[in-house]
Amino acid sequence: MKGCVQVYTGNGKGKTTAALGLALRASGCEKKIFIGQFMKGQKYSELNALAKIPCIDVEQFGLDKCIRKEEVTPEYVEKTKKALEYCKEKILSRKYDIVILDEINVSVWFGLAEEKDVLDIIDEKPAEVELVLTGRYASEAIIDKADLVTEMKCIKHYFDKGIPSREGIEC
């Protein structure tokens, strides 16, 4: 089976959710999935569910809090660089059928990861590995390399009405 490159981007809700839906579907076919979560170090309910599925491996490379672009530190850049190299090893190992780099597009936009490094991963991935890149602000170069690009567009969001994150829905 040929592996494609999928990108889920845009300012709407559902990018990670779409990638996790793909992982769930693939696990039903006994595919092996690796999910590297960039910019996420917090404990989300999805981690509890994914831990119960033996063919899905998840690792987080983010901080335990959300940060703004202007709060990026050289240490965080170095941590992200090492994480991306680690994910590249996972991809090249051919141990996984699907590799999801969650929030990698935002990581590039924040300056935590180099666009060139992500493009190199796309170019070097084994032909049979499905690669999924999520996060807002996917670059034109990443979009151009992808086989499938979906932009999530926010039309309306209950956060705007002051409804906070709800356990099991957003976190």
Side-chain angles (χ1 to χ4, degrees):
M1 177 176 85
K2 177 185 175 3
C4 293
V5 176
Q6 300 186 28
V7 173
Y8 300 117
T9 193
N11 68 353
K13 184 174 170 10
K15 297 170 289 292
T16 297
T17 304
L20 296 180
L22 173 64
L24 179 62
R25 183 179 313 112
S27 73
C29 295
E30 298 182 14
K31 302 280 186 195
K32 187 80 172 138
I33 301 106
F34 177 79
I35 302 170
Q37 291 193 316
F38 292 81
M39 300 191 69
K40 291 180 178 175
Q42 307 92 326
K43 298 305 170 207
Y44 296 100
S45 298
E46 64 202 30
L47 297 175
N48 298 333
L50 293 170
K52 297 174 184 176
I53 305 173
C55 59
I56 299 179
D57 296 331
V58 182
E59 293 197 41
Q60 292 186 312
F61 306 112
L63 304 177
D64 61 358
K65 63 177 184 166
C66 293
I67 66 164
R68 294 186 306 271
K69 192 174 184 178
E70 60 272 11
E71 296 175 314
V72 168
T73 64
E75 294 80 19
Y76 198 10
V77 171
E78 186 59 29
K79 178 179 179 169
T80 303
K81 181 178 181 164
K82 287 179 181 175
L84 193 56
E85 289 171 6
Y86 177 78
C87 290
K88 183 176 181 177
E89 290 173 14
K90 295 289 187 185
I91 293 164
L92 296 177
S93 75
R94 291 184 160 88
K95 178 180 175 186
Y96 297 95
D97 301 296
I98 299 171
V99 174
I100 297 169
L101 303 182
D102 188 33
E103 303 295 355
I104 193 63
N105 297 322
V106 178
S107 297
V108 169
W109 188 74
F110 265 52
L112 288 166
E114 294 289 330
E115 177 187 63
K116 181 192 180 312
D117 294 337
V118 177
L119 294 171
D120 287 348
I121 285 173
I122 293 170
D123 288 339
E124 296 173 30
K125 80 165 191 66
E128 69 276 7
V129 175
E130 191 83 8
L131 180 61
V132 181
L133 311 172
T134 76
R136 296 172 184 234
Y137 315 119
S139 72
E140 285 303 315
I142 290 172
I143 288 170
D144 288 346
K145 290 259 184 194
D147 299 297
L148 177 146
V149 178
T150 297
E151 180 179 9
M152 309 302 193
K153 181 179 174 185
C154 184
I155 305 296
K156 187 181 205 181
H157 201 301
Y158 38 79
F159 284 175
D160 298 334
K161 294 180 180 179
I163 298 172
S165 295
R166 298 165 294 152
E167 187 175 8
I169 306 297
E170 286 84 30
C171 58

